[in-house]
Amino acid sequence: PRAGLEMLARSVSERLSMRYGFEVKGIQALSSGGYRVATSQASGSGETFEAQAVVFAVSAVAVRQLAQPCLILAEQDALGPIRYAPGATLAIAAPRAGAAVPEFVRVPRSEGLPIASYLVEPGQPGGRVPQGSGLVTLVAREDFAREHVAAGDDVVTKALKSAFDRIDSPGREGIRFMRLYRTPTFLPCQDVGFFRQLANFQKVQPWLRSQGRRLYFAGDYLCGVRANGRVRSGSRAAQALLEDLGHST
């Protein structure tokens, strides 16, 4: 666990036949069964291959774009209204740990800061943070990220770092580096009717599976945005796939 979830994913993927370096552009059902998957690469080239089953471990927005021809009306109606809020996360590599154990802090909205929460990770042997160093991860408030969608990375970085300096300053002795991560699909918005839409989406899945459709869904819009929810969502999709292919779980 100290090495982080990325190391776990890499360890598992080494036992599988994995292909990287391309982007899926669309999925089409074949009359003979299975699916045709169209891809493209950064170089502009692309290829098409066939798959027995497809798991969509992406946002609801991406599912609508990729699987539109394969979705029934009930699924399109359920996924269509789901929207996402943008997000911004700033990672600060500090020369000192700042804490003996990992600390997660939620910042009250009443503080008037653009930070919703932050995580302080001290370096540990075998961990993703080198021993003797520290890593601070700042998560921006949803309203701040939305208001600064068009702002430059330097503006957002400065605002988050300045706000954190009012709470703590792990970088007073010199920051090793800072890295900003931004995405337009950071959090699924739980608007009015959100859970009713998901219930309708989930309700038709057993029937579609019984009809031989081999499409499966795993994403933050199904089980929550935290790591545990994402893992659970992927586990459910994998279990359904194995069951339909006749493998024991």
Side-chain angles (χ1 to χ4, degrees), residues 97-201:
V101 295
E103 295 181 352
F104 177 75
V105 179
R106 294 188 183 277
V107 180
R109 185 179 293 272
S110 58
E111 292 294 326
L113 299 176
I115 301 172
S117 63
Y118 63 90
L119 174 67
V120 180
E121 297 178 80
Q124 299 180 13
R128 65 172 185 163
V129 182
Q131 189 173 12
S133 302
L135 178 66
V136 181
T137 305
L138 312 177
V139 179
R141 302 201 72 87
E142 180 182 328
D143 53 352
F144 172 84
R146 182 183 297 110
E147 293 169 0
H148 290 75
V149 167
D153 288 353
D154 57 335
V155 174
V156 176
T157 298
K158 182 178 180 180
L160 293 176
K161 178 59 171 59
S162 298
F164 189 66
D165 284 342
R166 296 172 56 183
I167 304 173
D168 190 10
S169 291
R172 291 187 191 280
E173 303 167 8
I175 295 175
R176 292 183 174 176
F177 67 83
M178 293 192 297
R179 184 168 299 169
L180 180 69
Y181 301 89
R182 305 174 75 176
T183 173
T185 55
F186 186 67
L187 290 172
C189 299
Q190 298 179 353
D191 298 322
V192 175
F194 177 80
F195 292 104
R196 184 173 62 253
Q197 295 163 14
L198 286 186
N200 293 335
F201 179 83

Side-chain angles (χ1 to χ4, degrees), residues 17-233:
S17 175
M18 306 290 289
R19 300 178 63 184
Y20 303 96
F22 63 87
E23 179 183 2
V24 175
K25 305 299 291 186
I27 308 289
Q28 285 186 323
L30 299 174
S31 57
S32 57
Y35 302 90
R36 178 177 289 112
V37 182
T39 71
S40 67
Q41 296 177 319
S43 61
S45 62
E47 63 177 309
T48 300
F49 60 89
E50 294 185 6
Q52 185 178 1
V54 178
V55 178
F56 294 94
V58 292
S59 68
V61 175
V63 172
R64 295 197 303 262
Q65 295 172 345
L66 297 174
Q68 184 76 14
C70 302
L71 301 178
I72 65 173
L73 185 59
E75 292 175 308
Q76 296 177 24
D77 290 342
L79 295 177
I82 296 179
R83 65 184 184 89
Y84 282 75
T89 303
L90 179 65
I92 304 175
R96 62 181 177 86
V101 295
E103 295 181 352
F104 177 75
V105 179
R106 294 188 183 277
V107 180
R109 185 179 293 272
S110 58
E111 292 294 326
L113 299 176
I115 301 172
S117 63
Y118 63 90
L119 174 67
V120 180
E121 297 178 80
Q124 299 180 13
R128 65 172 185 163
V129 182
Q131 189 173 12
S133 302
L135 178 66
V136 181
T137 305
L138 312 177
V139 179
R141 302 201 72 87
E142 180 182 328
D143 53 352
F144 172 84
R146 182 183 297 110
E147 293 169 0
H148 290 75
V149 167
D153 288 353
D154 57 335
V155 174
V156 176
T157 298
K158 182 178 180 180
L160 293 176
K161 178 59 171 59
S162 298
F164 189 66
D165 284 342
R166 296 172 56 183
I167 304 173
D168 190 10
S169 291
R172 291 187 191 280
E173 303 167 8
I175 295 175
R176 292 183 174 176
F177 67 83
M178 293 192 297
R179 184 168 299 169
L180 180 69
Y181 301 89
R182 305 174 75 176
T183 173
T185 55
F186 186 67
L187 290 172
C189 299
Q190 298 179 353
D191 298 322
V192 175
F194 177 80
F195 292 104
R196 184 173 62 253
Q197 295 163 14
L198 286 186
N200 293 335
F201 179 83
Q202 299 284 37
K203 185 177 180 179
V204 300
Q205 298 308 310
W207 177 79
L208 290 169
R209 289 171 55 194
S210 70
Q211 299 301 304
R213 197 185 75 167
R214 297 295 177 254
L215 299 181
Y216 307 87
F217 306 89
D220 52 11
Y221 61 99
L222 296 173
C223 286
V225 298
R226 298 191 181 280
N228 287 345
R230 292 168 179 162
V231 170
R232 181 56 180 158
S233 178

